Amino acid sequence: MQRIFSGIQPSGIPTLGNYLGAIRNWVALQRDHACIYCVVDLHAITVWQDPRQLATQTRELAASIIACGIDPQKHILFHQSAVRAHAQLAWIFNCVARLGWLNRMTQFKDKAGRDRENASAGLYVYPNLMAADILAYHATRVPVGDDQRQHLELANDIAQKFNHDYGVAFFPTIEPLILGPAARVMSLRDGTKKMSKSDASDQSRINLSDGPDLIAQKVRRAKTDPAPLPSEPAGLEGRPEARNLVGIYAALADSTPADVLSEHGGKGFGAFKEALAALLVESLAPIAAETRRLLADTATLDGILRDGARRAAAIADPIVAEAERLVGFVGP
Ligand code: AQP
């Protein structure tokens, strides 16, 4: 059975983008894969996190992932800082990856923005840690949103260079799994920008914890253009906000943009937004309720994460120990 690895940063409340681009696919993959899912707190601190908030966000994200349908008994769910192998392998990969490769990463450019000189070194080498996350488990399939494609290509470059430099066939090739019609959910305020949990505007996103009234309000206020919805996907060209809302609807309804437009095309956004809000509430309300229930018992939740970390370390530690031996470390 192929091993899946994927992670999400506890850098805020998970969004509809995280759900449709990642977690929902994670749930489906449980059926026929051995899955390892990780709350990547080491990644989160590449930008400033309030220490009091980080622990809360880590638990909230873990609860949310379980509430979405991840089974932490059959599969593995844990927080990254609890398994040392990630940081150990990331250091080796810092020495394998080339500066030229990292310089091409668009996420660093987006996140560092104009104030590049002030960005953390961790943000710059973030893709090396991501490669370590996956390769420490010899995972071969990685479900991610479309925004992470470039990082996975870099992970494969690192794996190949390691294998070449040390004359081994040790690290496998990773295959990105970019699934579904909403692989990239865009901001509700700007259809050209990705929906993000750390965006300064809460109105730009649907959080998985938002209640029905807030969801309806955010959808009502979502930016659109004055024209009615087209009847075919070709009519979404040059209309990023309309494309985004149709894509979200299609993903939630398990249908396609063409089907959504054949039903709603020709109508104004008012009626479509009402239907979209109703679909969002129907899909997300049970997740929010289950997340609240899980968060009411943090001892049990922490126990689940501890058990996940123990099982994750049992896989990663021997792989990373072998990588260290190949590099020439004497070992502890
Ligand atoms: N808008 C999105 N559309 C589709 N997929 C998305 N993902 C994130 N945003 C979208 C997918 O969610 C997974 C986890 O992402 P992450 O939290 O590790 O980092 P991120 O991609 O940087 O997500 P955010 O929400 O934008 O976090 P912040 O604001 O902290 O940077 C990934 O598989 C990602 O593709």
Side-chain angles (χ1 to χ4, degrees):
M1 198 186 285
Q2 296 215 55
R3 189 175 283 153
I4 294 263
F5 180 95
S6 200
I8 295 202
Q9 300 182 73
S11 45
I13 299 164
T15 69
L16 181 69
N18 299 129
Y19 178 60
L20 293 178
I23 308 173
R24 199 172 74 145
N25 301 325
W26 296 6
V27 173
L29 289 163
Q30 293 181 113
R31 272 198 302 273
D32 39 21
H33 292 84
C35 302
I36 303 172
Y37 295 130
C38 186
V39 176
V40 290
D41 48 2
L42 299 182
H43 283 278
I45 64 161
T46 55
V47 298
W48 170 250
Q49 302 294 332
D50 180 334
R52 288 161 303 185
Q53 283 295 318
L54 184 59
T56 307
Q57 286 167 191
T58 299
R59 292 193 178 98
E60 281 174 357
L61 181 53
S64 215
I65 291 169
I66 298 169
C68 288
I70 296 302
D71 181 340
Q73 259 87 44
K74 286 208 185 107
H75 299 272
I76 296 179
L77 175 68
F78 70 106
H79 54 304
Q80 191 184 24
S81 59
V83 176
R84 299 292 170 191
H86 293 249
Q88 290 167 334
L89 187 58
W91 180 256
I92 294 176
F93 286 175
N94 282 342
C95 303
V96 173
R98 306 288 93 183
L99 286 185
W101 302 354
L102 292 171
N103 285 340
R104 287 197 286 275
M105 295 298 110
T106 55
Q107 181 169 295
F108 175 76
K109 289 178 196 156
D110 291 346
K111 288 202 172 173
R114 294 211 176 119
D115 200 10
R116 252 182 104 123
E117 296 292 306
N118 213 17
S120 75
L123 189 64
Y124 190 67
V125 294
Y126 180 115
N128 299 345
L129 176 59
M130 184 167 160
D133 296 338
I134 301 159
L135 292 166
Y137 299 89
H138 277 182
T140 48
R141 313 194 89 198
V142 181
V144 285
D146 185 46
D147 56 309
Q148 294 297 328
R149 189 189 291 274
Q150 196 185 32
H151 285 167
L152 292 185
E153 284 164 8
L154 186 105
N156 274 329
D157 289 344
I158 292 174
Q160 266 176 32
K161 181 161 166 57
F162 181 98
N163 288 346
H164 175 267
D165 289 354
Y166 295 102
V168 289
F170 184 60
F171 286 118
T173 301
I174 300 164
E175 184 196 340
L177 295 176
I178 295 166
L179 307 164
R184 195 182 286 236
V185 179
M186 309 310 277
S187 158
L188 299 180
R189 310 300 300 163
D190 176 352
T192 62
K193 227 173 104 188
K194 171 178 104 128
M195 181 180 286
S196 197
K197 59 177 119 59
S198 60
D199 192 298
S201 162
D202 190 58
Q203 292 289 324
S204 70
R205 59 178 168 263
I206 305 284
N207 302 308
L208 294 189
S209 59
D210 286 348
D213 292 346
L214 190 53
I215 291 177
Q217 186 227 71
K218 286 179 176 177
V219 174
R220 227 179 293 123
R221 289 188 187 161
K223 185 177 167 197
T224 44
D225 55 46
L229 274 176
S231 317
E232 286 173 14
L236 294 170
E237 207 52 52
R239 301 178 65 188
E241 284 82 18
R243 177 191 292 282
N244 188 36
L245 296 186
V246 169
I248 293 172
Y249 193 106
L252 290 172
D254 275 326
S255 89
T256 61
D259 286 342
V260 175
L261 290 175
S262 74
E263 189 185 339
H264 294 275
K267 294 184 202 157
F269 277 99
F272 179 66
K273 281 180 167 181
E274 251 176 61
L276 176 59
L279 188 56
L280 277 163
V281 169
E282 186 190 313
S283 312
L284 302 186
I287 295 174
E290 179 62 3
T291 304
R292 279 196 299 277
R293 193 189 68 75
L294 290 161
L295 285 170
D297 181 2
T298 46
T300 301
L301 189 60
D302 287 357
I304 291 172
L305 290 175
R306 256 197 317 276
D307 179 56
R310 187 184 51 73
R311 289 187 289 138
I315 301 170
D317 286 350
I319 292 174
V320 174
E322 178 59 10
E324 290 179 336
R325 194 191 65 76
L326 290 168
V327 167
F329 294 166
V330 170

